[in-house]
């Protein structure tokens, strides 16, 4: 196949991911194996996000001492982020620790979108191949859509946000007294 833009940067990373995950990128999957791969990935993603929320009170990167999210709330968020609907019933900074937001929710926003791209590509392959017995490889579709599409887009948006003064830090929130004398809490750096 012809070289894609970014292959010099992303191809070594892609190969490393396949080696660590023991994925043969040349081996395609039948529809039922593709579906089973998607479902197993989704269940694992759900369990990780659920566990992070339930254990966040005793995990690191919790400078605001957020307690564990209740079982039903954690279930709701884990299902929502697994399905890439990202519905939030809570105020993020008041409920989730830094670790839960970064490792759980942000990562899930990437990989659930990548899984959706993979399903769309598999559907297109299934229609285009008509009599084909395979739909591609779910794990390859997941890795490639993350590395070649979602990460470069996020980098561009991150540079834009930084240029606009948006910050990310790992410190606790700061209280600021306004001119009217009311105290407001902001998520800002030291």
């Amino acid at each position: 196949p012809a070289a894609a833009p970014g292959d010099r940067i992303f191809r070594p990373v892609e190969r490393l991911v396949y080696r660590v995950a023991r994925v043969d990128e040349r081996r395609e999957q039948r529809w039922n194996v593709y579906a089973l791969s998607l479902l197993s990935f989704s269940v694992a993603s759900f369990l990780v996000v659920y566990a992070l929320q339930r254990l966040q009170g005793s995990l690191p990167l919790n400078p605001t001492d957020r307690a564990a999210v209740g079982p039903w709330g954690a279930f709701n968020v884990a299902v929502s982020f697994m399905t890439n609907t990202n519905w939030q019933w809570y105020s993020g900074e008041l409920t989730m620790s830094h670790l839960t937001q970064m490792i759980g929710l942000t990562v899930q926003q990437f990989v659930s979108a990548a899984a959706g791209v993979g399903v769309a590509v598999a559907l297109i392959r299934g229609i285009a191949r008509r009599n084909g017995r395979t739909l591609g490889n779910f794990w390859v579709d997941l890795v490639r859509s993350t590395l070649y599409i979602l990460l470069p887009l996020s980098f561009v948006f991150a540079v834009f946000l930084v240029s606009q003064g948006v910050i990310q830090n790992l410190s606790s929130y700061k209280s600021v007294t306004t001119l009217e004398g009311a105290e407001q809490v902001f998520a800002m750096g030291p």
Side-chain angles (χ1 to χ4, degrees), residues 63-127:
T64 54
D65 294 322
R66 297 291 159 223
V69 178
W72 287 111
F75 177 84
N76 180 290
V77 170
V79 167
S80 175
F81 278 78
M82 174 191 70
T83 58
N84 200 26
T85 51
N86 305 337
W87 183 76
Q88 295 176 311
W89 54 266
Y90 56 90
S91 175
E93 290 75 23
L94 298 177
T95 306
M96 302 293 174
S97 71
H98 290 14
L99 181 73
T100 302
Q101 290 187 66
M102 291 185 303
I103 301 297
L105 305 183
T106 303
V107 168
Q108 195 58 33
Q109 287 176 324
F110 272 88
V111 295
S112 63
V117 169
V119 170
V121 169
L123 178 65
I124 292 167
R125 283 188 198 118
I127 293 169

Side-chain angles (χ1 to χ4, degrees), residues 63-185:
T64 54
D65 294 322
R66 297 291 159 223
V69 178
W72 287 111
F75 177 84
N76 180 290
V77 170
V79 167
S80 175
F81 278 78
M82 174 191 70
T83 58
N84 200 26
T85 51
N86 305 337
W87 183 76
Q88 295 176 311
W89 54 266
Y90 56 90
S91 175
E93 290 75 23
L94 298 177
T95 306
M96 302 293 174
S97 71
H98 290 14
L99 181 73
T100 302
Q101 290 187 66
M102 291 185 303
I103 301 297
L105 305 183
T106 303
V107 168
Q108 195 58 33
Q109 287 176 324
F110 272 88
V111 295
S112 63
V117 169
V119 170
V121 169
L123 178 65
I124 292 167
R125 283 188 198 118
I127 293 169
R129 293 180 180 175
R130 292 190 186 167
N131 295 327
R133 300 178 65 82
T134 60
L135 295 178
N137 187 313
F138 171 76
W139 306 108
V140 171
D141 293 343
L142 181 76
V143 169
R144 287 185 179 162
S145 57
T146 301
L147 282 177
Y148 290 90
I149 300 169
L150 299 173
L151 282 177
L153 277 174
S154 70
F155 181 75
V156 170
F157 286 121
V159 168
F160 171 74
L161 289 172
V162 167
S163 76
Q164 300 303 303
V166 177
I167 61 167
Q168 168 72 38
N169 66 56
L170 301 177
S171 64
S172 185
Y173 305 128
K174 308 295 180 206
S175 295
V176 176
T177 303
T178 63
L179 291 175
E180 294 82 28
E183 187 173 283
Q184 295 180 333
V185 178

Side-chain angles (χ1 to χ4, degrees), residues 10-24:
F10 297 120
R11 188 68 178 135
V13 175
E14 183 182 359
R15 281 193 211 119
L16 176 65
V17 170
Y18 297 148
R19 194 172 322 124
V20 168
R22 295 180 156 174
V23 171
D24 181 0

Side-chain angles (χ1 to χ4, degrees), residues 29-51:
Q29 300 171 325
R30 298 181 93 158
W31 74 268
N32 55 346
V33 177
Y34 197 100
L36 187 61
S37 298
L38 170 67
L39 289 174
S40 64
F41 177 75
S42 296
V43 168
S45 297
F46 166 82
L47 292 173
V48 167
V49 173
Y50 182 83

